[in-house]
Amino acid sequence: MRALLSLVLAAAVFTPPVRAQGADPHPTVTVGTATAKRGERVYGTLTIPSATDSGTTIQLAIVNGAKPGPVVAFISGSHGTEYTSVVAMTRLIARIDPAKLRGTAIVVPLLNVASFERMVPHVNPVDGKGMNASYPGDASGTQTQRVLAAVAREIVAQSDVVVDLHGGDLDEDLRPYSYWIRTGKAARDSASRALALAFGLDMIIVNDVDVTSAAGTRTLSGYALSQGKTTFVAEAGHSGLVTPAETAMLVNGSLGVLGALKMIDHPSKPAAKISWVGADQRVRADGGGMFYATAARGSVVKKGQKVGYVTDYVGRPAGDVLAPQDGVVSFIRGVPSLWKGATMVTILRQFPGGPAAWQKPER
Ligand SMILES: [Zn+2]
């Protein structure tokens, strides 16, 4: 008995002092119907009631770690047919152990449910709006606007870091990449650079934004930056396929982000050689037709090089598609369907000496 008592006393001596009440800013975290206490993984929904158009129900998980730390939101499926990102985030939820987590992960794998269910790429088919192009949303607007207003209010507002995942849409034959989105503010830009390196993809697109402009804050990342959050964007997947390798890139990369934020014990594994790229130029179709790629995603091309061609609907050539600049094919159209304005190819300029200093974008 005595021995046991002395052990208990020793434990009491070495126990760190109890934190003052209120020192943990997130003893519980609530999003929609989900409320997670420390050490809990809880599932719930963010329900958007019908209004001028139909409502929608978005499923999510909150992993509230046993110990305090940052709040990180992982959001994917704003493009509901970018399946790799959606599937990867469903798997990420089970990979985060609340008992070992310091801080909180809010995971929303599928934001654009109608796009997924109806297999409509790029937009929300309910209102035809882009779900990564309409922030800060509008609580009295159409479905997309109401969803984004709820994401802003319920998720972004309480997060320190916002991670936006994409997966190469149905028509995009895409090479995996991350974005380093720069604001011109040194501390914030170095924080997001650290996340891009920790994510581990070997191609990083340098994208300069002006978070004081409306154009710079329509996307989730731009909006989150305008609210003072650290953000990170990555994309892996192509042409609607869910491959184990690309799914693993997004799951492991997300764990790398949590590791870099010291929320889990996870060794940071930056790619051995990083290709820094940026200044994208897209070639868009000036009308309908059938597109055929001749250059592969990820290939390096010269300005003027043929990367694809177009025919009419009876197979007669309608023109070649040429690279608008030297660079890397980040994605090329993976299906024949074309319409006026459809992106046929995107070429990113290479920065072999690393990226130049931030420049205020013109648009
Ligand atoms: Zn996307």
Side-chain angles (χ1 to χ4, degrees):
M1 272 312 270
R2 181 159 283 275
L4 186 59
L5 183 65
S6 60
L7 268 179
V8 170
L9 285 173
V13 169
F14 293 110
T15 299
V18 174
R19 282 165 170 269
Q21 213 162 26
D24 177 2
H26 302 287
T28 64
V29 173
T30 298
V31 179
T33 63
T35 295
K37 298 194 197 84
R38 288 255 164 254
E40 286 184 344
R41 181 192 292 117
V42 173
Y43 299 85
T45 59
L46 193 56
T47 300
I48 310 301
S50 60
T52 53
D53 53 13
S54 58
T56 181
T57 299
I58 297 155
Q59 298 186 334
L60 62 100
I62 303 172
V63 188
N64 200 11
K67 292 182 180 160
V71 177
V72 184
F74 293 92
I75 298 176
S76 62
S78 60
H79 303 132
T81 46
E82 295 189 359
Y83 299 119
T84 301
S85 53
V86 175
V87 170
M89 288 306 100
T90 65
R91 296 194 180 151
L92 177 68
I93 295 165
R95 293 286 300 276
I96 307 172
D97 180 353
K100 293 179 180 163
L101 182 68
R102 294 177 285 273
T104 311
I106 300 168
V107 189
V108 185
L110 178 59
L111 199 63
N112 191 344
V113 178
S115 158
F116 178 90
E117 289 179 343
R118 301 189 206 172
M119 286 180 42
V120 173
H122 307 300
V123 297
N124 179 352
V126 172
D127 57 14
K129 289 178 180 153
M131 285 191 101
N132 193 31
S134 310
Y135 282 91
D138 180 349
S140 55
T142 61
Q143 189 191 89
T144 292
Q145 293 170 302
R146 299 199 304 282
V147 169
L148 300 194
V151 169
R153 183 181 67 242
E154 300 227 14
I155 301 175
V156 175
Q158 65 177 326
S159 298
D160 302 301
V161 179
V162 176
V163 180
D164 182 19
L165 282 316
H166 292 260
D169 221 322
L170 291 178
D171 55 354
E172 295 172 349
D173 193 9
L174 182 141
R175 185 225 193 274
Y177 48 74
S178 299
Y179 284 92
W180 178 27
I181 301 170
R182 303 190 301 185
T183 60
K185 300 266 187 295
R188 197 183 300 174
D189 292 350
S190 73
S192 58
R193 183 177 185 277
L195 299 188
L197 294 176
F199 201 88
L201 297 185
D202 67 353
M203 193 163 95
I204 300 178
I205 300 174
V206 183
N207 182 15
D208 291 341
V209 297
D210 175 5
V211 296
T212 62
S213 77
T217 56
R218 283 191 200 116
T219 61
L220 174 60
S221 56
Y223 171 71
L225 283 167
S226 76
Q227 301 301 300
K229 317 298 182 182
T230 300
T231 67
F232 174 71
V233 180
E235 176 146 25
H238 64 282
S239 308
L241 301 172
V242 182
T243 67
E246 288 170 327
T247 307
M249 284 180 195
L250 297 184
V251 175
N252 293 335
S254 298
L255 293 172
V257 164
L258 294 175
L261 295 166
K262 309 254 186 285
M263 293 170 67
I264 59 171
D265 297 324
H266 187 89
S268 184
K269 282 190 212 144
K273 186 175 185 306
I274 291 166
S275 172
W276 298 94
V277 294
D280 70 286
Q281 284 200 15
R282 295 174 176 225
V283 184
R284 295 182 189 275
D286 52 15
M290 301 180 80
F291 175 81
Y292 299 90
T294 57
R297 65 195 152 100
S299 58
V300 176
V301 297
K302 290 279 180 200
K303 181 177 181 176
Q305 185 178 328
K306 180 176 171 180
V307 294
Y309 63 94
V310 177
T311 73
D312 64 12
Y313 295 155
V314 286
R316 292 175 298 185
D320 289 340
V321 179
L322 307 179
Q325 64 178 353
D326 291 1
V328 183
V329 176
S330 58
F331 69 87
I332 192 155
R333 192 150 199 80
V335 295
S337 295
L338 277 186
W339 58 90
K340 185 174 166 53
T343 300
M344 294 187 286
V345 65
T346 298
I347 310 283
L348 296 159
R349 204 183 306 150
Q350 293 175 294
F351 305 137
W358 179 82
Q359 279 195 318
K360 187 170 175 166
E362 287 165 16
R363 57 194 156 94

